[in-house]
Each structure stands twice: as C-alpha cells, then as structure tokens.
Amino acid sequence: MNIFYAPPSQINNGYAELLDQEAIHASKVMRAREGDKLTIVDGEGGHYRGIIRRITKKSVQVEIEDAQHHSRPKPHLVLGMGIIKKRDRLEFAVEKAIELGAAQICLFRSEHTIKENVRMDRLESLAISAMKQSLQAHLSTIEVYHSLDVMLESVFADNILVAHEKVDEAKGDINYKSVRNSERTLLLVGPEGGFSESEIRDLTDKGGELVSLGPNRLRAETAAIAFMSQFL
Ligand code: SAH
C-alpha cells in the first residue's frame, strides 16, 4: 500500500495536497495518475484514504473518501541518545528506533560524545520515511540538545531508564510496570564511550533507573535498538 505524508496544514475541505518530495514520489516515482487511490497520514494521527483528482508539476490533489484518527500508541517512549560519531550509524539507529515506536528522539552531547552536530534535514526526512514505511500515523520528533543536563530539563518524562553496561545484570531488570503506568518513559543510551561516572550519578540522583541489556557490550546503535525492542 502506498502511503504518503501531508501535514494538517495541507489537508482542508475534504482535500489533501501532496507537495515537495511527497508529490514527486507520487507522480514521478510511483507514476500515480488521476483516479488512482492512495493513503495519506498527517503525522498527528490522521489517516486518510483518497482518490487523486489533479496532478500538477508541484502538487498532487487528493479527494478524501475516508478519514480516521489513530490515537498516539502507548507507552509513549522517548529515546535519548548520545550523538555517535559515524553519521550513518546514528541515522540507522534513529530510523530503527522510530520503526520500533519511539515517539521522540532526543540526541544529546555528553562528556564522551566526540561529534558536535547532526544533519537535521536528513534526520527529519528520515523520520517521515520511517513513519510511512512502518505504517504509523504519528510523526516522531527529533531534537538535539547541547548537553545531557539541558535535555533532562527540556524533556518531560515521568520515568527514566538508563541503559548502562556496567550495571550488575541481576539488578538491571526493566520495571515494565513503571513503563506501562507512566505518561512518558525516557530511555537513555550513551555514546560510543558510554556515560561518565558523574553522569551516571547525576542520572540516578534524578530518579533514573539503571538497566542492563544483557552480558554483551553492545554498540550504542545496537543498544538503542535492543532497548526499544524491549517494549514491543
Ligand atoms: N563504555 C563502554 C561501552 C559504551 S556502549 C565503552 O567505552 O566501550 C554505548 C552505550 O550502549 C552505553 O552507554 C549504554 O547506554 C549502552 N550499552 C551497551 N551495552 C550495554 C549493556 N550490555 N547493557 C546496558 N546498556 C548497554
């Protein structure tokens, strides 16, 4: 099923309009024609089926035949991840986390992060394609924070789980009940060099629970995927 993205601002009076990459994808890549049916998500839970009424160079106009609203899936998971050095690995981790249900991705600089900046344009288009590919109707948000502290101050989460390879496995079980009962759970994964001792102290002082992802030392991107997969 071909699924396209149009933000709410492009959906009015029973019509949805595909623009930019989405219009190109429909008309050029999928060679869609007037009369063809397609599905559109608006990134805020809106899920529409419609029929193409007009194709121009820059847009595809779709008449909506059926409209539904999908509520935000529970639990509401936020993945907080140190900015890892290799861009393709970071993008891979972000894409998989979104497919696995991360509603928000918060990238942060920390004591051991090497890289300073990320290609936000690439991450945002990757979030749209991951939403469409995984047939979700909610678009995950991606933010970058200057430090772990700034991220913790800015992100609302009533439950914080910290993946830490040094925690004693026996004590590092995930408290699934706390995740189910929380509004928003923040799952934290460190960069390649992990969290520093003082960051771990700080995180536990702020109520973060240290969690083991098993006996093996995982790469950060693997840990992000393993962590998200615990809540499927
Ligand atoms: N500090 C180590 C490994 C860091 S791995 C080093 O210097 O090589 C990067 C991140 O992945 C860690 O900060 C942690 O969040 C996560 N991670 C890796 N393996 C893990 C495990 N077995 N249990 C929990 N978290 C793990």
Side-chain angles (χ1 to χ4, degrees), residues 162-167 188-195 211-221 223-224:
V162 183
H164 192 41
E165 72 286 355
K166 297 192 179 80
V167 73
L188 288 175
V189 172
E192 295 90 339
F195 289 112
V211 160
S212 168
L213 294 174
N216 303 344
R217 187 175 72 181
L218 310 174
R219 279 188 181 280
E221 61 271 25

mmCIF file with all atom_site columns, all heavy atoms in Angstrom, residues 162-167 188-195 211-221 223-224, ligand 1:
data_model
loop_
_atom_site.group_PDB
_atom_site.id
_atom_site.type_symbol
_atom_site.label_atom_id
_atom_site.label_alt_id
_atom_site.label_comp_id
_atom_site.label_asym_id
_atom_site.label_entity_id
_atom_site.label_seq_id
_atom_site.pdbx_PDB_ins_code
_atom_site.Cartn_x
_atom_site.Cartn_y
_atom_site.Cartn_z
_atom_site.occupancy
_atom_site.B_iso_or_equiv
_atom_site.pdbx_formal_charge
_atom_site.auth_seq_id
_atom_site.auth_comp_id
_atom_site.auth_asym_id
_atom_site.auth_atom_id
_atom_site.pdbx_PDB_model_num
ATOM   1   N N   . VAL A 1 162 ? 17.950 4.108   32.292 1.00 0.00 ? 162 VAL A N   1
ATOM   2   C CA  . VAL A 1 162 ? 19.273 4.380   31.731 1.00 0.00 ? 162 VAL A CA  1
ATOM   3   C C   . VAL A 1 162 ? 19.951 3.055   31.392 1.00 0.00 ? 162 VAL A C   1
ATOM   4   O O   . VAL A 1 162 ? 20.230 2.247   32.290 1.00 0.00 ? 162 VAL A O   1
ATOM   5   C CB  . VAL A 1 162 ? 20.152 5.144   32.755 1.00 0.00 ? 162 VAL A CB  1
ATOM   6   C CG1 . VAL A 1 162 ? 21.509 5.497   32.143 1.00 0.00 ? 162 VAL A CG1 1
ATOM   7   C CG2 . VAL A 1 162 ? 19.431 6.396   33.251 1.00 0.00 ? 162 VAL A CG2 1
ATOM   8   N N   . ALA A 1 163 ? 20.203 2.826   30.114 1.00 0.00 ? 163 ALA A N   1
ATOM   9   C CA  . ALA A 1 163 ? 20.928 1.600   29.727 1.00 0.00 ? 163 ALA A CA  1
ATOM   10  C C   . ALA A 1 163 ? 22.393 1.800   30.092 1.00 0.00 ? 163 ALA A C   1
ATOM   11  O O   . ALA A 1 163 ? 23.031 2.774   29.668 1.00 0.00 ? 163 ALA A O   1
ATOM   12  C CB  . ALA A 1 163 ? 20.797 1.377   28.222 1.00 0.00 ? 163 ALA A CB  1
ATOM   13  N N   . HIS A 1 164 ? 22.890 0.892   30.931 1.00 0.00 ? 164 HIS A N   1
ATOM   14  C CA  . HIS A 1 164 ? 24.279 1.040   31.378 1.00 0.00 ? 164 HIS A CA  1
ATOM   15  C C   . HIS A 1 164 ? 24.940 -0.330  31.408 1.00 0.00 ? 164 HIS A C   1
ATOM   16  O O   . HIS A 1 164 ? 24.460 -1.250  32.064 1.00 0.00 ? 164 HIS A O   1
ATOM   17  C CB  . HIS A 1 164 ? 24.307 1.686   32.774 1.00 0.00 ? 164 HIS A CB  1
ATOM   18  C CG  . HIS A 1 164 ? 25.665 2.139   33.197 1.00 0.00 ? 164 HIS A CG  1
ATOM   19  N ND1 . HIS A 1 164 ? 26.550 2.761   32.348 1.00 0.00 ? 164 HIS A ND1 1
ATOM   20  C CD2 . HIS A 1 164 ? 26.298 2.062   34.399 1.00 0.00 ? 164 HIS A CD2 1
ATOM   21  C CE1 . HIS A 1 164 ? 27.668 3.039   32.985 1.00 0.00 ? 164 HIS A CE1 1
ATOM   22  N NE2 . HIS A 1 164 ? 27.563 2.622   34.228 1.00 0.00 ? 164 HIS A NE2 1
ATOM   23  N N   . GLU A 1 165 ? 26.079 -0.433  30.664 1.00 0.00 ? 165 GLU A N   1
ATOM   24  C CA  . GLU A 1 165 ? 26.700 -1.748  30.535 1.00 0.00 ? 165 GLU A CA  1
ATOM   25  C C   . GLU A 1 165 ? 27.420 -2.162  31.814 1.00 0.00 ? 165 GLU A C   1
ATOM   26  O O   . GLU A 1 165 ? 27.784 -3.312  31.980 1.00 0.00 ? 165 GLU A O   1
ATOM   27  C CB  . GLU A 1 165 ? 27.638 -1.771  29.323 1.00 0.00 ? 165 GLU A CB  1
ATOM   28  C CG  . GLU A 1 165 ? 28.916 -0.998  29.468 1.00 0.00 ? 165 GLU A CG  1
ATOM   29  C CD  . GLU A 1 165 ? 28.711 0.501   29.387 1.00 0.00 ? 165 GLU A CD  1
ATOM   30  O OE1 . GLU A 1 165 ? 27.565 0.956   29.123 1.00 0.00 ? 165 GLU A OE1 1
ATOM   31  O OE2 . GLU A 1 165 ? 29.681 1.226   29.598 1.00 0.00 ? 165 GLU A OE2 1
ATOM   32  N N   . LYS A 1 166 ? 27.607 -1.227  32.723 1.00 0.00 ? 166 LYS A N   1
ATOM   33  C CA  . LYS A 1 166 ? 28.351 -1.581  33.936 1.00 0.00 ? 166 LYS A CA  1
ATOM   34  C C   . LYS A 1 166 ? 27.423 -1.982  35.087 1.00 0.00 ? 166 LYS A C   1
ATOM   35  O O   . LYS A 1 166 ? 27.875 -2.307  36.174 1.00 0.00 ? 166 LYS A O   1
ATOM   36  C CB  . LYS A 1 166 ? 29.247 -0.412  34.363 1.00 0.00 ? 166 LYS A CB  1
ATOM   37  C CG  . LYS A 1 166 ? 30.320 -0.082  33.312 1.00 0.00 ? 166 LYS A CG  1
ATOM   38  C CD  . LYS A 1 166 ? 31.381 0.859   33.846 1.00 0.00 ? 166 LYS A CD  1
ATOM   39  C CE  . LYS A 1 166 ? 32.450 1.157   32.808 1.00 0.00 ? 166 LYS A CE  1
ATOM   40  N NZ  . LYS A 1 166 ? 31.986 2.196   31.838 1.00 0.00 ? 166 LYS A NZ  1
ATOM   41  N N   . VAL A 1 167 ? 26.098 -1.933  34.857 1.00 0.00 ? 167 VAL A N   1
ATOM   42  C CA  . VAL A 1 167 ? 25.213 -2.266  35.981 1.00 0.00 ? 167 VAL A CA  1
ATOM   43  C C   . VAL A 1 167 ? 25.200 -3.789  36.157 1.00 0.00 ? 167 VAL A C   1
ATOM   44  O O   . VAL A 1 167 ? 25.337 -4.540  35.190 1.00 0.00 ? 167 VAL A O   1
ATOM   45  C CB  . VAL A 1 167 ? 23.783 -1.737  35.722 1.00 0.00 ? 167 VAL A CB  1
ATOM   46  C CG1 . VAL A 1 167 ? 23.055 -2.550  34.665 1.00 0.00 ? 167 VAL A CG1 1
ATOM   47  C CG2 . VAL A 1 167 ? 22.959 -1.755  37.011 1.00 0.00 ? 167 VAL A CG2 1
ATOM   48  N N   . LEU A 1 188 ? 17.430 6.069   27.960 1.00 0.00 ? 188 LEU A N   1
ATOM   49  C CA  . LEU A 1 188 ? 18.705 6.736   27.674 1.00 0.00 ? 188 LEU A CA  1
ATOM   50  C C   . LEU A 1 188 ? 19.791 5.735   27.271 1.00 0.00 ? 188 LEU A C   1
ATOM   51  O O   . LEU A 1 188 ? 19.963 4.697   27.915 1.00 0.00 ? 188 LEU A O   1
ATOM   52  C CB  . LEU A 1 188 ? 19.171 7.522   28.905 1.00 0.00 ? 188 LEU A CB  1
ATOM   53  C CG  . LEU A 1 188 ? 18.359 8.788   29.206 1.00 0.00 ? 188 LEU A CG  1
ATOM   54  C CD1 . LEU A 1 188 ? 18.829 9.428   30.505 1.00 0.00 ? 188 LEU A CD1 1
ATOM   55  C CD2 . LEU A 1 188 ? 18.485 9.781   28.064 1.00 0.00 ? 188 LEU A CD2 1
ATOM   56  N N   . VAL A 1 189 ? 20.489 6.086   26.188 1.00 0.00 ? 189 VAL A N   1
ATOM   57  C CA  . VAL A 1 189 ? 21.623 5.281   25.715 1.00 0.00 ? 189 VAL A CA  1
ATOM   58  C C   . VAL A 1 189 ? 22.812 6.214   25.529 1.00 0.00 ? 189 VAL A C   1
ATOM   59  O O   . VAL A 1 189 ? 22.674 7.311   24.963 1.00 0.00 ? 189 VAL A O   1
ATOM   60  C CB  . VAL A 1 189 ? 21.279 4.606   24.360 1.00 0.00 ? 189 VAL A CB  1
ATOM   61  C CG1 . VAL A 1 189 ? 22.497 3.921   23.749 1.00 0.00 ? 189 VAL A CG1 1
ATOM   62  C CG2 . VAL A 1 189 ? 20.148 3.608   24.548 1.00 0.00 ? 189 VAL A CG2 1
ATOM   63  N N   . GLY A 1 190 ? 23.954 5.810   26.014 1.00 0.00 ? 190 GLY A N   1
ATOM   64  C CA  . GLY A 1 190 ? 25.140 6.668   25.914 1.00 0.00 ? 190 GLY A CA  1
ATOM   65  C C   . GLY A 1 190 ? 25.786 6.587   24.541 1.00 0.00 ? 190 GLY A C   1
ATOM   66  O O   . GLY A 1 190 ? 25.438 5.722   23.734 1.00 0.00 ? 190 GLY A O   1
ATOM   67  N N   . PRO A 1 191 ? 26.767 7.467   24.282 1.00 0.00 ? 191 PRO A N   1
ATOM   68  C CA  . PRO A 1 191 ? 27.527 7.442   23.025 1.00 0.00 ? 191 PRO A CA  1
ATOM   69  C C   . PRO A 1 191 ? 28.543 6.294   23.066 1.00 0.00 ? 191 PRO A C   1
ATOM   70  O O   . PRO A 1 191 ? 28.533 5.498   24.017 1.00 0.00 ? 191 PRO A O   1
ATOM   71  C CB  . PRO A 1 191 ? 28.219 8.805   23.031 1.00 0.00 ? 191 PRO A CB  1
ATOM   72  C CG  . PRO A 1 191 ? 28.389 9.128   24.477 1.00 0.00 ? 191 PRO A CG  1
ATOM   73  C CD  . PRO A 1 191 ? 27.204 8.533   25.182 1.00 0.00 ? 191 PRO A CD  1
ATOM   74  N N   . GLU A 1 192 ? 29.407 6.257   22.045 1.00 0.00 ? 192 GLU A N   1
ATOM   75  C CA  . GLU A 1 192 ? 30.361 5.123   21.970 1.00 0.00 ? 192 GLU A CA  1
ATOM   76  C C   . GLU A 1 192 ? 31.119 4.949   23.293 1.00 0.00 ? 192 GLU A C   1
ATOM   77  O O   . GLU A 1 192 ? 31.348 3.850   23.770 1.00 0.00 ? 192 GLU A O   1
ATOM   78  C CB  . GLU A 1 192 ? 31.414 5.377   20.872 1.00 0.00 ? 192 GLU A CB  1
ATOM   79  C CG  . GLU A 1 192 ? 30.894 5.421   19.471 1.00 0.00 ? 192 GLU A CG  1
ATOM   80  C CD  . GLU A 1 192 ? 30.481 6.815   19.056 1.00 0.00 ? 192 GLU A CD  1
ATOM   81  O OE1 . GLU A 1 192 ? 30.221 7.653   19.958 1.00 0.00 ? 192 GLU A OE1 1
ATOM   82  O OE2 . GLU A 1 192 ? 30.391 7.072   17.855 1.00 0.00 ? 192 GLU A OE2 1
ATOM   83  N N   . GLY A 1 193 ? 31.505 6.086   23.898 1.00 0.00 ? 193 GLY A N   1
ATOM   84  C CA  . GLY A 1 193 ? 32.323 5.975   25.111 1.00 0.00 ? 193 GLY A CA  1
ATOM   85  C C   . GLY A 1 193 ? 31.487 5.791   26.366 1.00 0.00 ? 193 GLY A C   1
ATOM   86  O O   . GLY A 1 193 ? 31.999 5.771   27.479 1.00 0.00 ? 193 GLY A O   1
ATOM   87  N N   . GLY A 1 194 ? 30.197 5.649   26.197 1.00 0.00 ? 194 GLY A N   1
ATOM   88  C CA  . GLY A 1 194 ? 29.336 5.406   27.358 1.00 0.00 ? 194 GLY A CA  1
ATOM   89  C C   . GLY A 1 194 ? 29.086 6.664   28.179 1.00 0.00 ? 194 GLY A C   1
ATOM   90  O O   . GLY A 1 194 ? 29.479 7.756   27.805 1.00 0.00 ? 194 GLY A O   1
ATOM   91  N N   . PHE A 1 195 ? 28.397 6.481   29.308 1.00 0.00 ? 195 PHE A N   1
ATOM   92  C CA  . PHE A 1 195 ? 28.145 7.581   30.246 1.00 0.00 ? 195 PHE A CA  1
ATOM   93  C C   . PHE A 1 195 ? 29.340 7.656   31.199 1.00 0.00 ? 195 PHE A C   1
ATOM   94  O O   . PHE A 1 195 ? 29.920 6.632   31.552 1.00 0.00 ? 195 PHE A O   1
ATOM   95  C CB  . PHE A 1 195 ? 26.871 7.316   31.063 1.00 0.00 ? 195 PHE A CB  1
ATOM   96  C CG  . PHE A 1 195 ? 25.592 7.424   30.273 1.00 0.00 ? 195 PHE A CG  1
ATOM   97  C CD1 . PHE A 1 195 ? 24.818 6.296   30.018 1.00 0.00 ? 195 PHE A CD1 1
ATOM   98  C CD2 . PHE A 1 195 ? 25.168 8.653   29.769 1.00 0.00 ? 195 PHE A CD2 1
ATOM   99  C CE1 . PHE A 1 195 ? 23.634 6.378   29.277 1.00 0.00 ? 195 PHE A CE1 1
ATOM   100 C CE2 . PHE A 1 195 ? 23.982 8.746   29.031 1.00 0.00 ? 195 PHE A CE2 1
ATOM   101 C CZ  . PHE A 1 195 ? 23.228 7.612   28.784 1.00 0.00 ? 195 PHE A CZ  1
ATOM   102 N N   . VAL A 1 211 ? 19.619 0.112   33.814 1.00 0.00 ? 211 VAL A N   1
ATOM   103 C CA  . VAL A 1 211 ? 19.072 -1.091  33.193 1.00 0.00 ? 211 VAL A CA  1
ATOM   104 C C   . VAL A 1 211 ? 20.159 -1.828  32.414 1.00 0.00 ? 211 VAL A C   1
ATOM   105 O O   . VAL A 1 211 ? 20.970 -1.194  31.735 1.00 0.00 ? 211 VAL A O   1
ATOM   106 C CB  . VAL A 1 211 ? 17.928 -0.668  32.226 1.00 0.00 ? 211 VAL A CB  1
ATOM   107 C CG1 . VAL A 1 211 ? 17.637 -1.737  31.207 1.00 0.00 ? 211 VAL A CG1 1
ATOM   108 C CG2 . VAL A 1 211 ? 16.689 -0.288  33.006 1.00 0.00 ? 211 VAL A CG2 1
ATOM   109 N N   . SER A 1 212 ? 20.149 -3.174  32.565 1.00 0.00 ? 212 SER A N   1
ATOM   110 C CA  . SER A 1 212 ? 21.100 -3.963  31.779 1.00 0.00 ? 212 SER A CA  1
ATOM   111 C C   . SER A 1 212 ? 20.428 -4.460  30.499 1.00 0.00 ? 212 SER A C   1
ATOM   112 O O   . SER A 1 212 ? 19.252 -4.825  30.514 1.00 0.00 ? 212 SER A O   1
ATOM   113 C CB  . SER A 1 212 ? 21.560 -5.190  32.598 1.00 0.00 ? 212 SER A CB  1
ATOM   114 O OG  . SER A 1 212 ? 22.264 -6.081  31.729 1.00 0.00 ? 212 SER A OG  1
ATOM   115 N N   . LEU A 1 213 ? 21.208 -4.431  29.415 1.00 0.00 ? 213 LEU A N   1
ATOM   116 C CA  . LEU A 1 213 ? 20.700 -5.012  28.156 1.00 0.00 ? 213 LEU A CA  1
ATOM   117 C C   . LEU A 1 213 ? 21.448 -6.315  27.884 1.00 0.00 ? 213 LEU A C   1
ATOM   118 O O   . LEU A 1 213 ? 21.761 -6.654  26.737 1.00 0.00 ? 213 LEU A O   1
ATOM   119 C CB  . LEU A 1 213 ? 20.874 -4.019  26.997 1.00 0.00 ? 213 LEU A CB  1
ATOM   120 C CG  . LEU A 1 213 ? 20.031 -2.745  27.088 1.00 0.00 ? 213 LEU A CG  1
ATOM   121 C CD1 . LEU A 1 213 ? 20.387 -1.777  25.977 1.00 0.00 ? 213 LEU A CD1 1
ATOM   122 C CD2 . LEU A 1 213 ? 18.544 -3.049  27.051 1.00 0.00 ? 213 LEU A CD2 1
ATOM   123 N N   . GLY A 1 214 ? 21.781 -7.047  28.981 1.00 0.00 ? 214 GLY A N   1
ATOM   124 C CA  . GLY A 1 214 ? 22.430 -8.354  28.828 1.00 0.00 ? 214 GLY A CA  1
ATOM   125 C C   . GLY A 1 214 ? 23.930 -8.287  29.050 1.00 0.00 ? 214 GLY A C   1
ATOM   126 O O   . GLY A 1 214 ? 24.483 -7.204  29.265 1.00 0.00 ? 214 GLY A O   1
ATOM   127 N N   . PRO A 1 215 ? 24.586 -9.431  28.972 1.00 0.00 ? 215 PRO A N   1
ATOM   128 C CA  . PRO A 1 215 ? 26.005 -9.529  29.335 1.00 0.00 ? 215 PRO A CA  1
ATOM   129 C C   . PRO A 1 215 ? 26.953 -8.957  28.278 1.00 0.00 ? 215 PRO A C   1
ATOM   130 O O   . PRO A 1 215 ? 28.077 -8.589  28.591 1.00 0.00 ? 215 PRO A O   1
ATOM   131 C CB  . PRO A 1 215 ? 26.217 -11.049 29.480 1.00 0.00 ? 215 PRO A CB  1
ATOM   132 C CG  . PRO A 1 215 ? 25.198 -11.656 28.566 1.00 0.00 ? 215 PRO A CG  1
ATOM   133 C CD  . PRO A 1 215 ? 24.019 -10.739 28.588 1.00 0.00 ? 215 PRO A CD  1
ATOM   134 N N   . ASN A 1 216 ? 26.502 -8.826  27.045 1.00 0.00 ? 216 ASN A N   1
ATOM   135 C CA  . ASN A 1 216 ? 27.438 -8.384  26.000 1.00 0.00 ? 216 ASN A CA  1
ATOM   136 C C   . ASN A 1 216 ? 27.508 -6.854  25.948 1.00 0.00 ? 216 ASN A C   1
ATOM   137 O O   . ASN A 1 216 ? 26.518 -6.180  26.179 1.00 0.00 ? 216 ASN A O   1
ATOM   138 C CB  . ASN A 1 216 ? 26.979 -8.888  24.623 1.00 0.00 ? 216 ASN A CB  1
ATOM   139 C CG  . ASN A 1 216 ? 26.832 -10.392 24.604 1.00 0.00 ? 216 ASN A CG  1
ATOM   140 O OD1 . ASN A 1 216 ? 27.357 -11.074 25.505 1.00 0.00 ? 216 ASN A OD1 1
ATOM   141 N ND2 . ASN A 1 216 ? 26.101 -10.905 23.639 1.00 0.00 ? 216 ASN A ND2 1
ATOM   142 N N   . ARG A 1 217 ? 28.696 -6.354  25.586 1.00 0.00 ? 217 ARG A N   1
ATOM   143 C CA  . ARG A 1 217 ? 28.834 -4.900  25.434 1.00 0.00 ? 217 ARG A CA  1
ATOM   144 C C   . ARG A 1 217 ? 28.380 -4.546  24.019 1.00 0.00 ? 217 ARG A C   1
ATOM   145 O O   . ARG A 1 217 ? 28.995 -4.942  23.041 1.00 0.00 ? 217 ARG A O   1
ATOM   146 C CB  . ARG A 1 217 ? 30.298 -4.488  25.645 1.00 0.00 ? 217 ARG A CB  1
ATOM   147 C CG  . ARG A 1 217 ? 30.450 -2.979  25.657 1.00 0.00 ? 217 ARG A CG  1
ATOM   148 C CD  . ARG A 1 217 ? 31.848 -2.591  25.976 1.00 0.00 ? 217 ARG A CD  1
ATOM   149 N NE  . ARG A 1 217 ? 32.750 -2.868  24.862 1.00 0.00 ? 217 ARG A NE  1
ATOM   150 C CZ  . ARG A 1 217 ? 34.055 -2.619  24.916 1.00 0.00 ? 217 ARG A CZ  1
ATOM   151 N NH1 . ARG A 1 217 ? 34.588 -2.159  26.023 1.00 0.00 ? 217 ARG A NH1 1
ATOM   152 N NH2 . ARG A 1 217 ? 34.829 -2.850  23.876 1.00 0.00 ? 217 ARG A NH2 1
ATOM   153 N N   . LEU A 1 218 ? 27.272 -3.824  23.938 1.00 0.00 ? 218 LEU A N   1
ATOM   154 C CA  . LEU A 1 218 ? 26.667 -3.509  22.621 1.00 0.00 ? 218 LEU A CA  1
ATOM   155 C C   . LEU A 1 218 ? 27.160 -2.157  22.129 1.00 0.00 ? 218 LEU A C   1
ATOM   156 O O   . LEU A 1 218 ? 27.420 -1.253  22.914 1.00 0.00 ? 218 LEU A O   1
ATOM   157 C CB  . LEU A 1 218 ? 25.135 -3.467  22.746 1.00 0.00 ? 218 LEU A CB  1
ATOM   158 C CG  . LEU A 1 218 ? 24.467 -4.656  23.444 1.00 0.00 ? 218 LEU A CG  1
ATOM   159 C CD1 . LEU A 1 218 ? 22.973 -4.401  23.630 1.00 0.00 ? 218 LEU A CD1 1
ATOM   160 C CD2 . LEU A 1 218 ? 24.726 -5.934  22.651 1.00 0.00 ? 218 LEU A CD2 1
ATOM   161 N N   . ARG A 1 219 ? 27.238 -2.003  20.806 1.00 0.00 ? 219 ARG A N   1
ATOM   162 C CA  . ARG A 1 219 ? 27.482 -0.667  20.247 1.00 0.00 ? 219 ARG A CA  1
ATOM   163 C C   . ARG A 1 219 ? 26.271 0.201   20.591 1.00 0.00 ? 219 ARG A C   1
ATOM   164 O O   . ARG A 1 219 ? 25.167 -0.314  20.764 1.00 0.00 ? 219 ARG A O   1
ATOM   165 C CB  . ARG A 1 219 ? 27.616 -0.768  18.727 1.00 0.00 ? 219 ARG A CB  1
ATOM   166 C CG  . ARG A 1 219 ? 28.980 -1.215  18.258 1.00 0.00 ? 219 ARG A CG  1
ATOM   167 C CD  . ARG A 1 219 ? 29.046 -1.086  16.744 1.00 0.00 ? 219 ARG A CD  1
ATOM   168 N NE  . ARG A 1 219 ? 30.330 -1.514  16.214 1.00 0.00 ? 219 ARG A NE  1
ATOM   169 C CZ  . ARG A 1 219 ? 31.415 -0.752  16.226 1.00 0.00 ? 219 ARG A CZ  1
ATOM   170 N NH1 . ARG A 1 219 ? 31.350 0.459   16.746 1.00 0.00 ? 219 ARG A NH1 1
ATOM   171 N NH2 . ARG A 1 219 ? 32.549 -1.198  15.738 1.00 0.00 ? 219 ARG A NH2 1
ATOM   172 N N   . ALA A 1 220 ? 26.469 1.496   20.639 1.00 0.00 ? 220 ALA A N   1
ATOM   173 C CA  . ALA A 1 220 ? 25.377 2.404   21.021 1.00 0.00 ? 220 ALA A CA  1
ATOM   174 C C   . ALA A 1 220 ? 24.147 2.190   20.145 1.00 0.00 ? 220 ALA A C   1
ATOM   175 O O   . ALA A 1 220 ? 23.022 2.105   20.650 1.00 0.00 ? 220 ALA A O   1
ATOM   176 C CB  . ALA A 1 220 ? 25.860 3.849   20.915 1.00 0.00 ? 220 ALA A CB  1
ATOM   177 N N   . GLU A 1 221 ? 24.348 2.057   18.834 1.00 0.00 ? 221 GLU A N   1
ATOM   178 C CA  . GLU A 1 221 ? 23.191 1.919   17.945 1.00 0.00 ? 221 GLU A CA  1
ATOM   179 C C   . GLU A 1 221 ? 22.483 0.583   18.184 1.00 0.00 ? 221 GLU A C   1
ATOM   180 O O   . GLU A 1 221 ? 21.254 0.501   18.101 1.00 0.00 ? 221 GLU A O   1
ATOM   181 C CB  . GLU A 1 221 ? 23.584 2.092   16.476 1.00 0.00 ? 221 GLU A CB  1
ATOM   182 C CG  . GLU A 1 221 ? 24.584 1.100   15.932 1.00 0.00 ? 221 GLU A CG  1
ATOM   183 C CD  . GLU A 1 221 ? 26.027 1.557   16.118 1.00 0.00 ? 221 GLU A CD  1
ATOM   184 O OE1 . GLU A 1 221 ? 26.288 2.358   17.054 1.00 0.00 ? 221 GLU A OE1 1
ATOM   185 O OE2 . GLU A 1 221 ? 26.895 1.110   15.351 1.00 0.00 ? 221 GLU A OE2 1
ATOM   186 N N   . ALA A 1 223 ? 22.438 -0.945  21.117 1.00 0.00 ? 223 ALA A N   1
ATOM   187 C CA  . ALA A 1 223 ? 21.770 -0.781  22.419 1.00 0.00 ? 223 ALA A CA  1
ATOM   188 C C   . ALA A 1 223 ? 20.454 -0.029  22.246 1.00 0.00 ? 223 ALA A C   1
ATOM   189 O O   . ALA A 1 223 ? 19.434 -0.390  22.847 1.00 0.00 ? 223 ALA A O   1
ATOM   190 C CB  . ALA A 1 223 ? 22.690 -0.028  23.379 1.00 0.00 ? 223 ALA A CB  1
ATOM   191 N N   . ALA A 1 224 ? 20.453 0.987   21.378 1.00 0.00 ? 224 ALA A N   1
ATOM   192 C CA  . ALA A 1 224 ? 19.213 1.758   21.161 1.00 0.00 ? 224 ALA A CA  1
ATOM   193 C C   . ALA A 1 224 ? 18.121 0.829   20.618 1.00 0.00 ? 224 ALA A C   1
ATOM   194 O O   . ALA A 1 224 ? 16.973 0.860   21.079 1.00 0.00 ? 224 ALA A O   1
ATOM   195 C CB  . ALA A 1 224 ? 19.479 2.908   20.191 1.00 0.00 ? 224 ALA A CB  1
HETATM 196 N N1  . SAH B 2 .   ? 31.509 2.357   27.932 1.00 0.00 ? 1   SAH B N1  1
HETATM 197 C C1  . SAH B 2 .   ? 31.778 1.226   27.040 1.00 0.00 ? 1   SAH B C1  1
HETATM 198 C C2  . SAH B 2 .   ? 30.576 0.876   26.179 1.00 0.00 ? 1   SAH B C2  1
HETATM 199 C C3  . SAH B 2 .   ? 29.673 2.013   25.724 1.00 0.00 ? 1   SAH B C3  1
HETATM 200 S S1  . SAH B 2 .   ? 28.431 1.357   24.655 1.00 0.00 ? 1   SAH B S1  1
HETATM 201 C C4  . SAH B 2 .   ? 32.951 1.559   26.130 1.00 0.00 ? 1   SAH B C4  1
HETATM 202 O O1  . SAH B 2 .   ? 33.639 2.522   26.427 1.00 0.00 ? 1   SAH B O1  1
HETATM 203 O O2  . SAH B 2 .   ? 33.132 0.850   25.153 1.00 0.00 ? 1   SAH B O2  1
HETATM 204 C C5  . SAH B 2 .   ? 27.385 2.728   24.409 1.00 0.00 ? 1   SAH B C5  1
HETATM 205 C C6  . SAH B 2 .   ? 26.086 2.677   25.197 1.00 0.00 ? 1   SAH B C6  1
HETATM 206 O O3  . SAH B 2 .   ? 25.349 1.500   24.876 1.00 0.00 ? 1   SAH B O3  1
HETATM 207 C C7  . SAH B 2 .   ? 26.259 2.636   26.694 1.00 0.00 ? 1   SAH B C7  1
HETATM 208 O O4  . SAH B 2 .   ? 26.395 3.948   27.205 1.00 0.00 ? 1   SAH B O4  1
HETATM 209 C C8  . SAH B 2 .   ? 24.956 2.012   27.153 1.00 0.00 ? 1   SAH B C8  1
HETATM 210 O O5  . SAH B 2 .   ? 23.933 3.014   27.178 1.00 0.00 ? 1   SAH B O5  1
HETATM 211 C C9  . SAH B 2 .   ? 24.631 1.047   26.033 1.00 0.00 ? 1   SAH B C9  1
HETATM 212 N N2  . SAH B 2 .   ? 25.010 -0.332  26.301 1.00 0.00 ? 1   SAH B N2  1
HETATM 213 C C10 . SAH B 2 .   ? 25.906 -1.083  25.645 1.00 0.00 ? 1   SAH B C10 1
HETATM 214 N N3  . SAH B 2 .   ? 25.919 -2.353  26.108 1.00 0.00 ? 1   SAH B N3  1
HETATM 215 C C11 . SAH B 2 .   ? 25.002 -2.412  27.120 1.00 0.00 ? 1   SAH B C11 1
HETATM 216 C C12 . SAH B 2 .   ? 24.542 -3.436  28.001 1.00 0.00 ? 1   SAH B C12 1
HETATM 217 N N4  . SAH B 2 .   ? 25.033 -4.682  27.943 1.00 0.00 ? 1   SAH B N4  1
HETATM 218 N N5  . SAH B 2 .   ? 23.606 -3.130  28.933 1.00 0.00 ? 1   SAH B N5  1
HETATM 219 C C13 . SAH B 2 .   ? 23.107 -1.863  29.002 1.00 0.00 ? 1   SAH B C13 1
HETATM 220 N N6  . SAH B 2 .   ? 23.484 -0.849  28.189 1.00 0.00 ? 1   SAH B N6  1
HETATM 221 C C14 . SAH B 2 .   ? 24.429 -1.123  27.249 1.00 0.00 ? 1   SAH B C14 1
#
